[in-house]
């Protein structure tokens, strides 16, 4: 059995494990502010306690196996877990830093970390490479938190500089709700990374009852719905569990979800050539989302060797967007960050596996 990670604990939980309890705050400082991952480097912790901790816990359960750096600043990581399984996480530069005429920094660069929640995925979407490998296991809260700490450390991103987190890597976050919720709370700790719920977005393929459960936890997080289709027939082809969680059930769950009144619920719509890229679909989407404070994010389907779908034409994508905007919906086209590396989830891992054979 692998040892639990220190990232598995909220401050209160660590205080229950480590006595005297003020030591827990010191440890939080070392692991979340200094990014130390070796107990012997925790200088103000007595040697005996360092040894005791090292017997019971690890700090960081992750190791960087591979990095792909894109020309736009996106960095995709392949990370190894304690049991040798691998996952992906992505460091995304959302805004460039800005300097005034004198070269003084007026706006720091802004980053988002895209994290995985499972090794593989049970949902089995027809377009997704992660789905092809099946499901292996859930990630622990410590493994989810560890991705963010690892990427911050690797990019020398100081602890007090805020980032956003999107749960859009490998796996279905709501299928691992307990560990996800725990990780969200660990991220929020003021003595730790202090990343509020407002800065965290959970993307789901639409497990309606779990959307309600997440809402009831009142963690203050945003949700993004991977809608991808406007009629149940196509959606079931793309996402088989749509049979049990149809479009209407998702829309109803979204309407019940507690959202910050100034914010919008994001609907992700993967655009696939000749499948869902027509204006009739755009029209249905407008109708479906009426009454919801929504924002639509159109995503180009990203083909991979053996994929059965095609990338849509740019002109169809733009026409789709224009229709939505004309009818009052906020709509963006996801810029293909990291298109020259392995943009969509699961693609870096897949490349690595191929090399092994
Ligand atoms: N399981 C969750 C969150 C992670 S999926 C969900 O489905 O929402 C990661 C994201 O990658 C989703 O938005 C999904 O639509 C997108 N994705 C998967 N395969 C893709 C592909 N081939 N091209 C483009 N985006 C893809
Ligand atoms: Fe799982 Fe999301 Fe991929 Fe679907 S798109 S198989 S839910 S990771």
């Amino acid at each position: 059995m692998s040892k639990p990670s220190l990232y598995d604990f909220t401050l209160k939980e660590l205080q229950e494990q480590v006595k005297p309890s003020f030591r827990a705050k010191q440890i939080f400082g070392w692991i979340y502010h200094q990014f130390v991952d070796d107990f012997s480097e925790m200088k103000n912790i007595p040697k005996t306690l360092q040894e005791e901790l090292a017997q019971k816990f690890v700090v960081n359960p992750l190791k960087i196996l591979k990095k792909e750096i894109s020309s736009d600043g996106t960095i995709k990581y392949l990370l190894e877990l304690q049991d040798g399984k691998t996952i992906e996480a992505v460091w995304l530069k959302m805004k460039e830093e800005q300097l005034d005429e004198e070269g003084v920094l007026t706006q720091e660069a802004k980053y988002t970390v895209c994290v995985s929640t499972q090794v593989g995925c049970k949902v089995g979407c027809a377009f997704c490479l992660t789905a092809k490998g099946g499901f292996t296991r859930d990630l622990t809260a410590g493994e989810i938190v560890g991705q963010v700490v690892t990427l911050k450390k690797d990019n020398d991103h100081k602890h007090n500089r805020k980032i956003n987190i999107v749960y859009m890597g490998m796996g279905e976050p709501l299928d691992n709700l307990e560990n996800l919720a725990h990780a969200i709370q660990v991220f929020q700790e003021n003595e730790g990374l202090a990343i509020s719920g407002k800065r965290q977005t959970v993307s789901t393929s639409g497990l309606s009852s779990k959307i309600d459960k997440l809402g009831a936890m009142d963690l203050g997080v945003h949700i993004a719905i991977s809608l991808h289709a406007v009629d149940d027939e196509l959606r079931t082809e793309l996402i088989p569990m749509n049979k049990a969680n149809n479009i209407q059930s998702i829309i109803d769950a979204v309407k019940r979800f507690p959202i910050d009144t100034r914010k919008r619920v994001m609907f992700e719509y993967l655009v696939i050539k000749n499948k869902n890229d027509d204006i009739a679909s755009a029209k249905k989407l407008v109708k479906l989302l009426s009454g919801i404070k929504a924002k639509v994010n159109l995503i180009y389907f990203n083909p991979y060797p053996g994929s059965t779908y095609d990338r849509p034409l740019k002109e169809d994508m733009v026409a789709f967007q224009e229709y939505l905007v004309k009818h009052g919906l906020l709509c963006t086209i996801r810029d293909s960050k990291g298109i020259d590396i392995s943009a969509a989830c699961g693609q870096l891992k897949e490349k690595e596996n191929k090399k092994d054979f």
Side-chain angles (χ1 to χ4, degrees):
M1 257 288 284
S2 45
K3 294 177 194 174
S5 156
L6 287 185
Y7 304 147
D8 271 311
F9 304 100
T10 60
L11 183 62
K12 192 155 166 269
E13 288 164 345
L14 195 61
Q15 283 169 335
E16 281 156 17
Q17 299 271 339
V18 180
K19 298 288 172 211
S21 64
F22 73 90
R23 295 285 181 211
K25 264 194 192 173
Q26 293 177 325
I27 294 171
F28 255 56
W30 286 114
I31 63 179
Y32 292 116
H33 296 184
Q34 311 294 332
F35 306 133
V36 156
D37 47 24
D38 185 336
F39 295 99
S40 66
E41 287 174 37
M42 300 179 181
K43 300 290 179 224
N44 58 359
I45 306 287
K47 201 121 200 102
T48 47
L49 181 54
Q50 285 180 6
E51 280 160 12
E52 201 183 302
L53 289 169
Q55 271 178 12
K56 286 194 353 205
F57 308 106
V58 293
V59 181
N60 191 346
L62 307 170
K63 205 168 83 191
I64 297 174
L65 275 192
K66 192 177 154 67
K67 253 166 98 168
E68 280 190 356
I69 305 174
S70 165
S71 48
D72 62 14
T74 303
I75 309 177
K76 190 149 188 167
Y77 290 83
L78 186 69
L79 303 170
E80 187 179 50
L81 308 166
Q82 282 186 89
D83 61 0
K85 304 275 184 292
T86 54
I87 51 161
E88 293 178 12
V90 189
W91 179 258
L92 297 144
K93 192 182 215 178
M94 305 307 282
K95 260 198 194 132
E96 295 290 336
E97 63 180 19
Q98 279 166 16
L99 307 172
D100 66 13
E101 309 87 76
E102 265 115 54
V104 177
L105 187 71
T106 53
Q107 161 82 63
E108 287 183 333
K110 287 210 159 74
Y111 297 94
T112 292
V113 179
C114 173
V115 299
S116 292
T117 52
Q118 298 177 315
V119 182
C121 186
K122 284 180 201 163
V123 179
C125 298
F127 53 81
C128 175
L129 202 49
T130 298
K132 304 277 175 272
F135 173 73
T136 305
R137 70 168 174 88
D138 286 330
L139 295 188
T140 62
E143 288 167 336
I144 297 172
V145 173
Q147 295 170 59
V148 173
V149 183
T150 303
L151 270 54
K152 270 179 79 97
K153 181 176 181 180
D154 195 56
N155 289 284
D156 201 18
H157 194 256
K158 300 284 172 280
H159 81 274
N160 55 353
R161 287 181 55 201
K162 296 283 179 285
I163 49 157
N164 292 318
I165 298 173
V166 291
Y167 297 90
M168 287 185 190
M170 306 173 79
E172 166 52 49
L174 297 189
D175 224 4
N176 185 14
L177 185 55
E178 210 177 300
N179 294 345
L180 170 80
H182 205 97
I184 291 170
Q185 285 167 320
V186 175
F187 282 130
Q188 290 176 343
E189 283 290 0
N190 280 328
E191 301 285 336
L193 294 177
I195 302 168
S196 67
K198 279 198 301 225
R199 291 182 169 274
Q200 303 186 48
T201 302
V202 176
S203 173
T204 177
S205 53
L207 301 166
S208 327
S209 62
K210 298 280 186 71
I211 294 173
D212 282 331
K213 278 195 179 150
L214 178 70
M217 290 174 173
D218 221 8
L219 298 166
V221 290
H222 294 303
I223 44 167
I225 306 292
S226 290
L227 192 65
H228 306 333
V230 286
D231 57 75
D232 282 313
E233 197 187 334
L234 176 61
R235 196 164 192 277
T236 304
E237 175 192 322
L238 299 175
I239 312 174
M241 63 87 184
N242 185 67
K243 263 207 177 105
N245 302 265
N246 68 14
I247 295 176
Q248 196 54 48
S249 77
I250 298 170
I251 297 291
D252 293 344
V254 167
K255 285 184 175 162
R256 290 189 292 266
F257 195 83
I259 55 158
D260 185 329
T261 46
R262 287 161 302 174
K263 295 285 177 175
R264 293 171 184 275
V265 177
M266 158 115 83
F267 286 84
E268 290 165 286
Y269 190 91
L270 182 73
V271 186
I272 304 172
K273 192 177 176 184
N274 296 337
K275 276 279 177 189
N276 61 0
D277 58 352
D278 54 317
I279 294 301
S281 298
K283 204 168 171 177
K284 278 193 194 161
L285 188 56
V286 170
K287 212 163 143 206
L288 200 60
L289 300 185
S290 72
I292 298 178
K293 256 183 106 178
K295 183 167 86 187
V296 176
N297 195 16
L298 301 178
I299 310 166
Y300 279 96
F301 171 71
N302 197 20
Y304 46 88
S307 62
T308 45
Y309 300 117
D310 296 312
R311 188 180 166 88
L313 298 176
K314 187 169 179 204
E315 64 226 51
D316 290 335
M317 197 78 164
V318 170
F320 200 103
Q321 181 192 30
E322 277 173 357
Y323 184 91
L324 297 188
V325 171
K326 211 163 78 196
H327 290 82
L329 267 173
L330 240 143
C331 174
T332 49
I333 296 178
R334 186 187 287 178
D335 55 355
S336 312
K337 282 196 178 300
I339 196 90
D340 54 332
I341 52 174
S342 313
C345 84
Q347 298 196 357
L348 177 62
K349 178 167 168 154
E350 182 68 9
K351 253 183 18 195
E352 275 301 287
N353 288 344
K354 286 226 174 72
K355 271 206 310 222
D356 292 344
F357 295 108

Short mmCIF file of all heavy atoms in Angstrom, two decimals, residues 121-125 127-128 130-131 169-172 205 228 345, ligand 2:
data_model
loop_
_atom_site.label_atom_id
_atom_site.label_comp_id
_atom_site.label_asym_id
_atom_site.label_seq_id
_atom_site.Cartn_x
_atom_site.Cartn_y
_atom_site.Cartn_z
N CYS A 121 -11.16 6.64 -17.60
CA CYS A 121 -12.50 7.18 -17.38
C CYS A 121 -13.52 6.10 -17.69
O CYS A 121 -13.33 5.31 -18.60
CB CYS A 121 -12.72 8.39 -18.29
SG CYS A 121 -14.27 9.25 -17.98
N LYS A 122 -14.62 6.09 -16.89
CA LYS A 122 -15.67 5.07 -17.11
C LYS A 122 -16.70 5.50 -18.13
O LYS A 122 -17.48 4.69 -18.60
CB LYS A 122 -16.43 4.87 -15.79
CG LYS A 122 -15.72 4.07 -14.75
CD LYS A 122 -16.63 3.96 -13.51
CE LYS A 122 -15.78 3.62 -12.31
NZ LYS A 122 -16.44 3.87 -11.04
N VAL A 123 -16.73 6.81 -18.45
CA VAL A 123 -17.86 7.33 -19.22
C VAL A 123 -17.83 6.84 -20.68
O VAL A 123 -18.86 6.59 -21.28
CB VAL A 123 -17.94 8.87 -19.12
CG1 VAL A 123 -19.09 9.41 -19.93
CG2 VAL A 123 -18.08 9.29 -17.66
N GLY A 124 -16.64 6.72 -21.23
CA GLY A 124 -16.53 6.10 -22.55
C GLY A 124 -17.03 6.93 -23.71
O GLY A 124 -17.68 6.40 -24.62
N CYS A 125 -16.74 8.22 -23.73
CA CYS A 125 -17.20 9.05 -24.84
C CYS A 125 -16.53 8.61 -26.15
O CYS A 125 -15.32 8.32 -26.18
CB CYS A 125 -16.88 10.52 -24.57
SG CYS A 125 -17.71 11.13 -23.10
N PHE A 127 -15.62 10.17 -28.73
CA PHE A 127 -14.64 11.07 -29.35
C PHE A 127 -13.37 11.22 -28.53
O PHE A 127 -12.45 11.94 -28.92
CB PHE A 127 -15.28 12.46 -29.52
CG PHE A 127 -15.84 12.98 -28.22
CD1 PHE A 127 -15.03 13.57 -27.28
CD2 PHE A 127 -17.20 12.81 -27.94
CE1 PHE A 127 -15.53 14.01 -26.06
CE2 PHE A 127 -17.71 13.25 -26.72
CZ PHE A 127 -16.88 13.84 -25.78
N CYS A 128 -13.31 10.58 -27.35
CA CYS A 128 -12.26 10.93 -26.40
C CYS A 128 -11.22 9.82 -26.28
O CYS A 128 -11.54 8.65 -26.08
CB CYS A 128 -12.90 11.19 -25.04
SG CYS A 128 -11.70 11.48 -23.72
N THR A 130 -9.00 9.43 -23.91
CA THR A 130 -8.90 8.89 -22.55
C THR A 130 -9.81 7.67 -22.40
O THR A 130 -9.46 6.68 -21.77
CB THR A 130 -9.32 9.95 -21.51
OG1 THR A 130 -8.43 11.05 -21.60
CG2 THR A 130 -9.28 9.41 -20.10
N ALA A 131 -10.98 7.76 -23.03
CA ALA A 131 -11.95 6.69 -22.91
C ALA A 131 -11.44 5.37 -23.48
O ALA A 131 -11.79 4.29 -23.02
CB ALA A 131 -13.24 7.09 -23.63
N GLY A 169 -8.99 17.54 -17.13
CA GLY A 169 -8.00 16.59 -17.62
C GLY A 169 -8.64 15.22 -17.80
O GLY A 169 -9.80 15.11 -18.19
N MET A 170 -7.88 14.18 -17.47
CA MET A 170 -8.41 12.84 -17.68
C MET A 170 -9.40 12.49 -16.57
O MET A 170 -9.20 12.82 -15.41
CB MET A 170 -7.26 11.84 -17.67
CG MET A 170 -6.19 12.24 -18.68
SD MET A 170 -4.74 11.22 -18.55
CE MET A 170 -5.31 9.80 -19.40
N GLY A 171 -10.47 11.80 -16.97
CA GLY A 171 -11.44 11.33 -15.98
C GLY A 171 -12.66 12.21 -15.85
O GLY A 171 -12.70 13.33 -16.34
N GLU A 172 -13.69 11.65 -15.22
CA GLU A 172 -14.94 12.38 -14.98
C GLU A 172 -14.96 12.78 -13.50
O GLU A 172 -15.13 11.92 -12.62
CB GLU A 172 -16.13 11.47 -15.35
CG GLU A 172 -17.48 11.93 -14.86
CD GLU A 172 -17.84 13.38 -15.22
OE1 GLU A 172 -17.70 13.77 -16.38
OE2 GLU A 172 -18.24 14.12 -14.30
N SER A 205 -19.33 15.54 -17.81
CA SER A 205 -20.04 15.04 -18.99
C SER A 205 -21.53 14.95 -18.71
O SER A 205 -22.29 14.54 -19.58
CB SER A 205 -19.48 13.68 -19.36
OG SER A 205 -19.52 12.83 -18.24
N HIS A 228 -22.12 19.08 -25.95
CA HIS A 228 -21.69 18.51 -27.24
C HIS A 228 -22.78 18.19 -28.25
O HIS A 228 -22.49 17.97 -29.43
CB HIS A 228 -20.84 17.24 -27.04
CG HIS A 228 -19.66 17.42 -26.13
ND1 HIS A 228 -19.03 18.61 -25.95
CD2 HIS A 228 -18.99 16.53 -25.35
CE1 HIS A 228 -18.02 18.47 -25.08
NE2 HIS A 228 -17.99 17.22 -24.69
N CYS A 345 -7.25 15.94 -24.17
CA CYS A 345 -6.87 15.11 -23.04
C CYS A 345 -6.61 13.67 -23.46
O CYS A 345 -7.25 13.13 -24.34
CB CYS A 345 -7.95 15.19 -21.95
SG CYS A 345 -9.33 14.10 -22.14
FE1 LIG B 2 -14.39 10.76 -19.71
FE2 LIG B 2 -14.61 13.41 -20.24
FE3 LIG B 2 -13.25 11.74 -21.91
FE4 LIG B 2 -15.91 11.58 -21.73
S1 LIG B 2 -14.72 13.35 -22.46
S2 LIG B 2 -14.49 9.82 -21.72
S3 LIG B 2 -16.25 12.01 -19.58
S4 LIG B 2 -12.71 12.24 -19.83
#
